[in-house]
Amino acid sequence: MGWVKICHRGRTAKVDCKPSTRMIDVLERGCRELGLDHRQHHLVYKGKEVETNVPYRLGGLLPNAEVHLRVARDLPGRTVRLGIRLQNGTVAKGVFRVCETTLWDALLHLEKSTGENLTRCFENGQYLMPVLSEGSWTTPPTPNALVGVYLADAGYRGGSAKFRLSFTHTPMTSADLNLCVTALLEAQRPYPAVGKGGEQALSGRGEDVVMEFKAAEEVVQDSLTKLLSDPMPVQIVTPPAPADSPESAREPTPQVDRPSSDSSA
């Protein structure tokens, strides 16, 4: 167990870290203790920005390091190159704006570009939730973990990343899924811009957004409660071929920077 001291304008916050603690979580905890919005800041160590999608053990920090916060003015214009290894062995690739694209957006875009069924898999009437994994990090098996999380929120603020895609059984039906995704999309808000003066403190509006997402997930309270209280182990399954069915509720196609044909994840 180690720790990181986060410094900002004469104030400090000490964040305890396990080797597996992701740096985006270190940033979030430090900013919360300092009363700042972590989405408005980068972590900087010895003059260089710290990658936030890696665990503490791979962050390049010395034990008990002192890091600083820098206002993330450049974050809205950044892109990340993603590669997702599908279960047929192929790798779907795309370049996405980190503050405009959620994990769900990325799956929808790659689903459209590859023709593979990535978001609408069912088995015996029960939804197979997409699960993205990178190293030891895995998305929780709930709709909000994909629909409600921008790439920047998940720590992907630039560069490239490679995911593995698997599926886990859930008790959700097609109707449950449509209701939940629709409610989450209605509650979704744009990624916050850097406030006046170069930074933005946490505000009551942030609490309102959290409450809206909580209300959205209550639309399928019974299904989600059962899923979280008695979770099924993640199982790698072969998704069925895309079915010819009415279009379900989905968000608009994400605005992306399409990679050239010779690019790689």
Side-chain angles (χ1 to χ4, degrees):
M1 175 76 74
W3 51 265
V4 173
K5 183 167 77 171
I6 298 178
C7 306
H8 181 69
R9 296 185 176 180
R11 302 171 61 207
T12 62
K14 182 180 176 181
V15 180
D16 292 327
C17 302
K18 297 179 181 178
S20 59
T21 302
R22 298 181 82 229
M23 294 308 298
I24 187 65
D25 296 324
V26 174
L27 173 62
E28 191 275 332
R29 294 173 194 171
C31 285
R32 183 172 59 212
E33 187 171 329
L34 294 170
L36 300 171
D37 188 340
H38 71 282
R39 295 168 295 180
Q40 309 294 314
H41 297 85
H42 296 307
L43 284 175
V44 177
Y45 180 61
K46 295 185 177 180
K48 295 183 178 180
E49 182 182 334
V50 178
E51 292 184 63
T52 49
N53 66 310
V54 299
Y56 171 67
R57 69 176 183 275
L58 300 178
L61 279 63
L62 293 174
N64 307 330
E66 181 177 295
V67 301
H68 296 264
L69 295 178
R70 184 176 70 198
V71 178
R73 295 186 181 90
D74 61 336
L75 193 57
R78 289 190 179 187
T79 61
V80 62
R81 189 184 306 275
L82 296 183
I84 299 180
R85 182 169 295 280
L86 308 181
Q87 292 190 318
N88 61 11
T90 63
V91 178
K93 303 173 184 178
V95 178
F96 303 92
R97 294 190 177 98
V98 301
C99 294
E100 298 177 22
T101 311
T102 65
L103 293 168
W104 184 258
D105 287 329
L107 283 174
L108 288 177
H109 173 73
L110 296 176
E111 181 176 68
K112 183 177 180 180
S113 65
T114 63
E116 296 288 334
N117 186 5
L118 307 181
T119 65
R120 300 291 302 175
C121 298
F122 292 85
E123 187 172 85
N124 298 324
Q126 294 185 321
Y127 183 52
L128 301 179
M129 182 74 66
V131 175
L132 295 173
S133 303
E134 185 196 32
S136 60
W137 180 74
T138 300
T139 55
T142 62
N144 192 36
L146 298 174
V147 180
V149 178
Y150 287 99
L151 292 173
D153 286 330
Y156 300 97
R157 296 183 162 200
S160 63
K162 294 183 179 180
F163 293 111
R164 300 184 308 278
L165 176 66
S166 60
F167 297 85
T168 183
H169 290 82
T170 77
M172 297 180 69
T173 65
S174 178
D176 290 336
L177 176 67
N178 292 340
L179 284 171
C180 190
V181 170
T182 298
L184 288 169
L185 291 175
E186 290 176 351
Q188 194 175 68
R189 293 293 180 270
Y191 200 87
V194 176
K196 185 177 180 181
E199 65 181 38
Q200 179 175 325
L202 294 175
S203 65
R205 177 58 193 151
E207 296 177 358
D208 292 341
V209 172
V210 170
M211 292 304 296
E212 288 170 2
F213 271 99
K214 287 183 177 179
E217 287 204 303
E218 288 174 1
V219 173
V220 285
Q221 184 69 44
D222 292 341
S223 291
L224 291 179
T225 298
K226 181 179 179 183
L227 175 63
L228 295 174
S229 62
D230 186 21
M232 300 180 185
V234 173
Q235 305 175 42
I236 297 180
V237 299
T238 302
D244 295 329
S245 58
E247 284 294 321
S248 59
R250 292 185 179 181
E251 63 268 55
T253 301
Q255 193 173 11
V256 301
D257 293 332
R258 297 181 181 276
S260 59
S261 59
D262 60 348
S263 62
S264 59

